[in-house]
Amino acid sequence: MTPEEFRHAGHALIDWIADYRSDLEKRPVRAQVGPGEVAASFAAEAPRAPQTAAQLLTELDEKIVPGITQVQHPMHFGWFPSNASLASTLGDIASSGLGTLGISWESCPAATELEQVVCDWMRQLTGLSGNWQGCIQDTASTACLTALLLARERASDFAQNRGGLHGEQRALIVYTTDEAHSSVVKAALLAGFGELNLRRVAMDPHSRSMLAPGLAQQITDDIKAGFKPAAVVASVGSTGVTAFDPVAEIAEIATQHGLWLHVDAAMAGSAMLLPECRHLWQGVEAADSISWNPHKWMGTILDCSLMYVRDVEHLVRVMSTNPSYLRSTVDDEVLQYRDWGIPLGRRFRALKLWYHLSIDGIDAIRSRLRRDLDNARWFAEQVAATPDWQVLAPVSLQTVCIRHQPADLDDEALDRHTLAWVHSINQSGTAFMSPSILNDRWMVRVSIGVEATTRKHVEALWQLIQQQVQQGAE
Ligand code: PLP
């Protein structure tokens, strides 16, 4: 494809995207395909004869779009918001178009330096002190894995330079709770700690936040038993019920025992753009690493996960390899992001954050977040005020955990009832929510915060839910 052909096809693609986004509300929220259907619509072998870009647009419409669960749809209330603001989409397109290679400062100075700039902008916008330096990882999962590698090497006095996993006699222990995201468990396993050395600390039964005295006790018990406590992962806005672990108390205990403290604020980091929410991670300055995803509620198109550390020297010592073919004459003066994480080749992700912040602007982003908080409060009030309905966990941000609980149902019938009404709505395509298990019983998470979702949509959802429950009873 020549640049001229690209210009022509690109304009058509941008028009197609603009139409797609503006018509999104007319589409079903949930993908309308069964397993294998999308794959079966393609030939078993790659096309020999070239196709035109116009033909591919038709195939996008016919084969791809039906296979998409529309997370940008205003009636999408599932999982967590995964906003992809159009301003940031432009930045992502610019990144692809530039085709840069991010393997060293020298291979693309602009990518390194814009990343430094936007990470520092974001640090300031979330109220973090100048003690933190950040980078953009692909996901919070990668950030958590990186953090636990840093923890492992600190606790084992750089066992990677000796016998690796065999370099430390005592088993290294990681602490978190059952509320932590599955990526925390995955990171602990991949970093070599082992399931047996992953402690789930007791939680407050209502808020599901970690009980700091429980953590202190568990650490003491582990030390007595000959283990070596290494890391705590605190959830700031858990996926299940948006639980907030008490970071300040945890940090004090972690500091006292020399543990690495990683704060997983994948979702709730967006809320820290609002000064009135920052009490929710009070004490965060004493953590060792933080990650959060602008690619969730804030709306910088996936993938864009910020990771901040205080001790960059330690980070680089653990993650750097520095082969001769990547060295340059300016190495002493520049930052090499390849030494901040796992991949060598990095995308120019800073462009999408820069576009998002510059075109949409922080004031508009903040007022959208406040709108969503307000909508969640309204929704929770309606549910709580309606007979037989319950709000099951504190509504600290934009996710409301609910259940319809008529008195005459035993536990198993209640589960069947919950899954029946939520699946009917999800399958109908009119709205989408995530059923999830809380204390062994099904409930429904209503996660408000899609960019296009206004009060009108939240009201429509509440109507729809009540109608569905009513119909099920008839
Ligand atoms: N942590 C929390 C609290 C999350 O909610 C999620 C995803 O929803 C993750 C981590 C993982 O995020 P990612 O998909 O960026 O790896």
Side-chain angles (χ1 to χ4, degrees):
M1 180 175 260
T2 66
E4 269 318 304
E5 287 165 341
F6 175 81
R7 186 191 310 282
H8 184 71
H11 285 168
L13 179 62
I14 295 283
D15 281 343
W16 184 90
I17 294 172
D19 289 342
Y20 170 74
R21 289 290 191 102
S22 43
D23 290 346
L24 207 59
E25 193 159 356
K26 296 182 198 144
R27 298 182 186 278
V29 188
R30 185 173 184 264
Q32 297 295 295
V33 293
E37 231 178 281
V38 176
S41 70
F42 287 88
E45 287 176 12
R48 283 269 171 84
Q51 284 179 283
T52 64
Q55 280 172 308
L56 291 191
L57 283 187
T58 307
E59 295 206 27
L60 275 178
D61 270 324
E62 291 172 357
K63 300 181 177 176
I64 300 296
V65 171
I68 297 177
T69 292
Q70 306 291 350
V71 296
Q72 310 305 327
H73 193 295
M75 293 299 282
H76 182 261
F77 299 93
W79 307 301
F80 271 144
S82 184
N83 287 316
S85 72
L86 285 169
S88 68
T89 304
L90 282 180
D92 213 28
I93 292 171
S95 161
S96 299
L98 288 169
T100 55
L101 174 65
I103 55 173
S104 64
W105 177 87
E106 201 172 29
S107 75
C108 187
T112 303
E113 296 191 11
L114 186 62
E115 187 161 332
Q116 287 179 268
V117 169
V118 292
C119 287
D120 202 57
W121 286 354
M122 294 302 290
R123 174 190 68 72
Q124 296 170 49
L125 290 171
T126 47
L128 292 173
S129 76
N131 295 334
W132 297 94
Q133 285 189 66
C135 64
I136 307 178
Q137 304 273 7
D138 53 1
T139 59
S141 303
T142 303
C144 188
L145 173 58
T146 307
L148 288 184
L149 294 173
L150 301 180
R152 187 189 74 193
E153 292 312 299
R154 192 165 82 180
S156 66
D157 193 21
F158 294 93
Q160 69 182 11
N161 296 334
R162 305 192 306 280
L165 290 177
H166 309 289
E168 168 64 45
Q169 297 297 313
R170 290 168 295 172
L172 303 178
I173 310 293
V174 179
Y175 302 85
T176 190
T177 69
D178 262 336
E179 231 347 80
H181 190 262
S182 57
S183 56
V184 175
V185 178
K186 191 176 196 172
L189 301 188
L190 292 179
F193 288 93
E195 176 63 46
L196 290 180
N197 303 313
L198 183 56
R199 303 277 184 267
R200 272 77 167 189
V201 178
M203 301 178 288
D204 175 89
H206 183 55
S207 65
R208 295 179 70 79
S209 19
M210 184 186 285
L211 291 171
L215 172 66
Q217 186 60 53
Q218 184 82 64
I219 292 174
T220 310
D221 292 349
D222 282 331
I223 294 171
K224 268 196 207 139
F227 297 116
K228 174 134 203 207
V232 194
V233 180
S235 303
V236 164
S238 69
T239 318
V241 300
T242 331
F244 288 83
D245 290 340
V247 177
E249 289 172 66
I250 293 172
E252 209 179 304
I253 299 165
T255 308
Q256 191 189 339
H257 293 281
L259 274 69
W260 187 277
L261 171 56
H262 177 63
V263 169
D264 173 18
M267 158 66 197
S270 299
M272 304 312 160
L273 294 167
L274 306 176
E276 66 270 28
C277 289
R278 288 185 197 146
H279 65 96
L280 292 167
W281 73 0
Q282 197 207 330
V284 73
E285 285 291 328
D288 294 285
S289 50
I290 306 170
S291 71
W292 74 273
N293 291 350
H295 72 224
K296 284 189 159 49
W297 191 18
M298 176 181 161
T300 310
I301 188 169
L302 206 145
D303 50 358
C304 185
S305 184
L306 290 168
M307 178 176 184
Y308 290 93
V309 293
R310 282 192 294 133
D311 187 350
V312 174
E313 212 176 295
H314 178 72
L315 170 75
V316 170
R317 185 168 168 197
V318 174
M319 304 306 287
S320 136
T321 47
N322 202 22
S324 55
Y325 57 85
L326 289 175
R327 288 183 206 150
S328 79
T329 51
V330 290
D331 279 353
D332 292 343
E333 298 161 58
V334 299
L335 192 152
Q336 302 289 9
Y337 273 126
R338 66 169 183 268
D339 296 336
W340 288 52
I342 296 164
L344 167 62
R346 303 174 83 252
R347 299 186 65 226
F348 199 160
R349 295 194 183 89
L351 283 170
K352 52 188 165 189
L353 254 179
W354 174 50
Y355 260 68
H356 191 190
L357 289 170
S358 307
I359 295 179
D360 282 352
I362 189 62
D363 290 344
I365 294 169
R366 283 180 167 142
S367 43
R368 176 168 56 75
L369 300 177
R370 290 191 174 109
R371 173 202 69 179
D372 298 339
L373 290 173
D374 211 39
N375 284 342
R377 272 192 295 269
W378 177 86
F379 182 77
E381 279 163 20
Q382 309 311 303
V383 176
T386 308
D388 291 343
W389 281 91
Q390 283 195 1
V391 176
L392 301 164
V395 182
S396 306
L397 294 180
Q398 43 58 264
T399 299
V400 188
C401 298
I402 63 170
R403 195 183 286 137
H404 180 246
Q405 208 152 329
D408 54 338
L409 297 184
D410 64 22
D411 282 351
E412 280 178 16
L414 182 61
D415 274 352
R416 280 196 301 276
H417 171 66
T418 305
L419 292 176
W421 69 255
V422 70
H423 284 155
S424 298
I425 293 176
N426 287 353
Q427 276 158 15
S428 74
T430 40
F432 190 92
M433 293 157 281
S434 305
S436 171
I437 291 179
L438 174 64
N439 294 328
D440 299 329
R441 289 275 75 79
W442 284 99
M443 55 103 175
V444 177
R445 291 170 68 262
V446 177
S447 196
I448 295 167
V450 172
E451 202 179 353
T453 303
T454 63
R455 176 63 63 84
K456 179 184 84 171
H457 300 100
V458 181
E459 287 172 1
L461 178 76
W462 180 226
Q463 287 265 314
L464 184 67
I465 292 175
Q466 291 177 100
Q467 274 163 13
Q468 184 59 48
V469 164
Q470 185 63 36
Q471 269 168 28
E474 285 166 7

